[in-house]
Amino acid sequence: LAGLKVAPDGLIYPSNPAHASYVPQCAMADDLICNALIWLQMKIVNFIAAAGQKTMQEHEYASQWHDLDNQLRHWHDGLPDSFRPTVVQSARSDGFEEHWYARAMCASAMQHYHLACITLLNCAPRETLTGTARSPNGIMNLDTVLSGIRPSAEMPLNGNAAEREQAAVKHAKQIVFIDLARADEATRIHAVQPLWAAGMVLGSPDVGGEVSIEAQIWRELIVRQLRGIERDMGWASEYRVKELLSAWGVREGSETKESIRS
């Protein structure tokens, strides 16, 4: 595992001395902690790929999902202080924040941690599945499970789904707040995918298809952040802007402030 410190139970050893399971000789440097997150992200990708084959039983799916969720939480709980923002300050009068980190790799890692959390929440096993979500042989229809956590008229939110959506919104906001702190280039070039995911969560219409004022503000901000990456550094990001505009129902070529709000 390329130098990663993994406990016998498969969990990453914590690198925070305050953690109950801290073992000094198993603590890792910041770069290895980042590598551990990449390892967990790849495990999530493999899980989704396997689930997409639609041969996984419901109990197996739920068990693997909860195991990945536990591994990701354990990684986060064991982070040293370098992965916590050194400064959190108000960016605007409407509640937006700037989260400053001392090291670019730590800021980028935290954006990708929030992306990983959104990804897991997006394919969380549902407590209550509709009749179309199961087949007679007990195989789960993962098209429904992987359809996302945003509400729709066809899939209204139950209590558990509502909690998952709230959690995804919280993670999405953290991604944007890190970028608002005027992160350096080393962080911004790796922010394209997290910002796209944040846009999918924060910019989506409500159940009835209405776009709230808050969603309008998030749309404008995230589009500006993504376009700034390509404008300032030449790192491709416009393709993600186009995907967001399409998902939001905004016609390409007419993405003025007013059209993004429509």
Side-chain angles (χ1 to χ4, degrees):
L1 296 176
L4 302 184
K5 303 295 185 180
V6 182
D9 58 5
L11 300 176
I12 296 293
Y13 274 110
S15 296
N16 188 331
H19 195 281
S21 302
Y22 178 73
V23 179
Q25 59 268 33
C26 293
M28 295 184 292
D30 287 351
D31 59 340
L32 283 178
I33 295 174
C34 294
N35 289 343
L37 176 62
I38 295 173
W39 178 57
L40 293 176
Q41 286 180 301
M42 293 304 98
K43 294 177 76 171
I44 294 172
V45 170
N46 289 339
F47 166 71
I48 294 174
Q53 301 301 312
K54 303 181 182 178
T55 58
M56 192 181 296
Q57 297 290 334
E58 180 178 347
H59 67 87
E60 181 184 4
Y61 181 90
S63 176
Q64 292 189 28
W65 186 92
H66 284 291
D67 181 57
L68 287 170
D69 181 59
N70 182 51
Q71 291 184 54
L72 192 59
R73 289 174 185 271
H74 191 80
W75 176 89
H76 179 263
D77 291 345
L79 291 175
D81 290 341
S82 52
F83 286 83
R84 316 292 180 190
T86 55
V87 176
V88 175
Q89 65 182 26
S90 176
R92 302 165 23 157
S93 60
D94 49 10
F96 286 73
E97 297 175 351
E98 296 175 352
H99 291 194
W100 296 75
Y101 287 79
R103 304 191 68 183
M105 77 166 72
C106 298
S108 183
M110 292 313 298
Q111 283 190 314
H112 280 266
Y113 160 74
H114 294 299
L115 170 61
C117 289
I118 292 172
T119 304
L120 269 184
L121 287 164
N122 196 53
C123 60
R126 297 186 184 275
E127 297 296 328
T128 303
L129 296 172
T130 63
T132 58
R134 302 175 187 269
S135 63
N137 62 5
I139 302 284
M140 179 178 289
N141 183 336
L142 293 176
D143 286 339
T144 300
V145 175
L146 299 176
S147 62
I149 58 173
R150 298 298 295 182
S152 65
E154 294 76 24
M155 183 62 69
L157 291 173
N158 57 32
N160 291 318
E163 292 177 3
R164 291 198 294 270
E165 185 190 9
Q166 292 171 4
V169 167
K170 180 179 179 180
H171 286 295
K173 288 181 178 180
Q174 295 299 309
I175 290 171
V176 178
F177 291 163
I178 292 172
D179 198 78
L180 279 176
R182 294 177 290 283
D184 60 20
E185 293 183 358
T187 301
R188 293 179 72 197
I189 62 173
H190 296 295
V192 175
Q193 312 313 329
L195 284 172
W196 168 79
M200 294 295 289
V201 173
L202 298 172
S204 295
D206 296 331
V207 175
E210 298 294 326
V211 180
S212 67
I213 295 177
E214 182 179 7
Q216 294 166 6
I217 295 172
W218 286 114
R219 286 183 177 189
E220 295 165 14
L221 178 57
I222 292 170
V223 166
R224 186 164 63 248
Q225 288 176 309
L226 282 170
R227 285 185 166 153
I229 293 171
E230 185 161 332
R231 180 192 65 239
D232 297 342
M233 294 169 288
W235 194 268
S237 61
E238 184 63 25
Y239 73 102
R240 283 305 198 188
V241 172
K242 292 180 178 179
E243 290 177 358
L244 284 175
L245 294 175
S246 176
W248 295 336
V250 177
R251 182 168 55 86
E252 186 177 342
S254 63
E255 56 269 20
T256 61
K257 180 180 291 188
E258 289 73 21
S259 67
I260 291 176
R261 290 185 173 190
S262 61

